[in-house]
Amino acid sequence: MLLSWHRYTLCLPKIRRATVAWAAGSTSGADVGLSLRAVVSCRLTIQEVYGFTENVLVDPTGSVPWVAFAYNTILLGYLRNGCRNFVIAPGGTGGYANENYVYGGRMSQEIVGTNVAGTRQIEIRFGGSNQPSQWHFFGASVEGSAPEFHIDCNGHSCSFNGLRFEAINPTVRWGALSQNNKLRGGLGSGDVQFTALAGEVGNSLEAADGGAITEIRDSAAQVIKTTSRNHRPAATV
């Protein structure tokens, strides 16, 4: 389903694939459940998307004049058994995805395996000319041990607020192009294992439930520091 709207309130139907489009060891492909492109100043309810390689793909793509996904409020239901459940990936010289608010919801994969390569719950990509910015997630449950990364972020000034990490050893990656993003609290946030790629700037964690915070720098491929809650080591290595 491809969606393009301006200034509407929409409740989308459940979108289900008859059979799951991917499997562990085969996580590439462009099988998409819901593609959101030219959508501005709307209120969207996404009830359920099931079984696609990318369940929800926000992909405004084009050249000037702008193609935008911006200033929207999303009420999220259940994104289930997507290889990548919620992907933000504007493309081209004129596609941008900025200033959006996502409330609630669940994201999970029902597959055997831990840290399966290619799997994500939330992924923010920067592949076009315009970096995704000011995406704010509130209270989503990112579940399971299957994802390689529960959050994989290359955005600017995005925030993940009170997420429920329903997982053993949940994982977050700050990408090389990520800037000033924040993970704020939520169940299991103190147990998140971070990977920070060389080049990331100003990303931070504010843990709310204690636990140890482990940060890993890919440039050195080693754990550089384990800290107590509410502290992030300096971005060096």
Side-chain angles (χ1 to χ4, degrees), residues 19-93:
T19 57
V20 174
W22 62 282
S26 180
T27 58
S28 61
D31 189 76
V32 175
L34 174 63
S35 176
L36 299 167
R37 292 187 176 170
V39 183
V40 178
S41 299
C42 289
R43 292 176 59 88
L44 309 177
T45 297
I46 300 174
Q47 297 185 77
E48 180 183 9
V49 186
Y50 171 85
F52 297 85
T53 305
E54 293 179 341
N55 269 343
V56 174
L57 175 62
V58 179
D59 61 337
T61 301
S63 56
V64 177
W66 307 107
V67 180
F69 187 93
Y71 308 108
N72 299 298
T73 298
I74 300 171
L75 304 180
L76 194 61
Y78 195 5
L79 306 184
R80 180 177 166 221
N81 256 359
C83 177
R84 293 171 288 279
N85 274 313
F86 198 110
V87 178
I88 302 160
T93 58

Side-chain angles (χ1 to χ4, degrees), residues 14-213:
K14 296 179 180 179
I15 304 168
R16 295 173 176 162
R17 208 177 189 283
T19 57
V20 174
W22 62 282
S26 180
T27 58
S28 61
D31 189 76
V32 175
L34 174 63
S35 176
L36 299 167
R37 292 187 176 170
V39 183
V40 178
S41 299
C42 289
R43 292 176 59 88
L44 309 177
T45 297
I46 300 174
Q47 297 185 77
E48 180 183 9
V49 186
Y50 171 85
F52 297 85
T53 305
E54 293 179 341
N55 269 343
V56 174
L57 175 62
V58 179
D59 61 337
T61 301
S63 56
V64 177
W66 307 107
V67 180
F69 187 93
Y71 308 108
N72 299 298
T73 298
I74 300 171
L75 304 180
L76 194 61
Y78 195 5
L79 306 184
R80 180 177 166 221
N81 256 359
C83 177
R84 293 171 288 279
N85 274 313
F86 198 110
V87 178
I88 302 160
T93 58
Y96 68 91
N98 300 331
E99 203 65 50
N100 296 285
Y101 297 80
V102 183
Y103 292 92
R106 296 176 62 195
M107 306 179 206
S108 69
Q109 293 99 356
E110 299 161 8
I111 65 171
V112 176
T114 301
N115 302 126
V116 177
T119 55
R120 310 281 192 271
Q121 303 299 18
I122 300 169
E123 182 176 3
I124 302 178
R125 301 174 186 160
F126 183 10
S129 297
N130 304 298
Q131 186 172 22
S133 65
Q134 292 278 128
W135 277 82
H136 304 292
F137 290 81
F138 297 90
S141 183
V142 288
E143 302 177 357
S145 298
E148 182 180 15
F149 297 105
H150 290 76
I151 300 171
D152 188 5
C153 179
N154 267 299
H156 193 306
S157 300
C158 300
S159 69
F160 307 90
N161 305 277
L163 270 58
R164 181 184 182 92
F165 287 93
E166 192 78 28
I168 299 170
N169 298 323
T171 55
V172 170
R173 179 165 71 176
W174 302 128
L177 301 174
S178 62
Q179 301 179 61
N180 301 323
N181 303 288
K182 297 183 183 299
L183 174 62
R184 296 189 176 111
L187 183 70
S189 59
D191 298 319
V192 169
Q193 296 182 347
F194 282 85
T195 299
L197 302 188
E200 62 90 20
V201 176
N203 302 299
S204 64
L205 166 69
E206 300 168 11
D209 69 340
I213 303 164

Side-chain angles (χ1 to χ4, degrees), residues 193-233:
Q193 296 182 347
F194 282 85
T195 299
L197 302 188
E200 62 90 20
V201 176
N203 302 299
S204 64
L205 166 69
E206 300 168 11
D209 69 340
I213 303 164
T214 301
E215 297 216 351
I216 303 172
R217 302 271 165 188
D218 271 13
S219 57
Q222 62 182 343
V223 176
I224 61 169
K225 191 168 185 179
T226 300
T227 75
S228 60
R229 58 184 289 180
N230 297 326
H231 177 72
R232 184 181 192 279

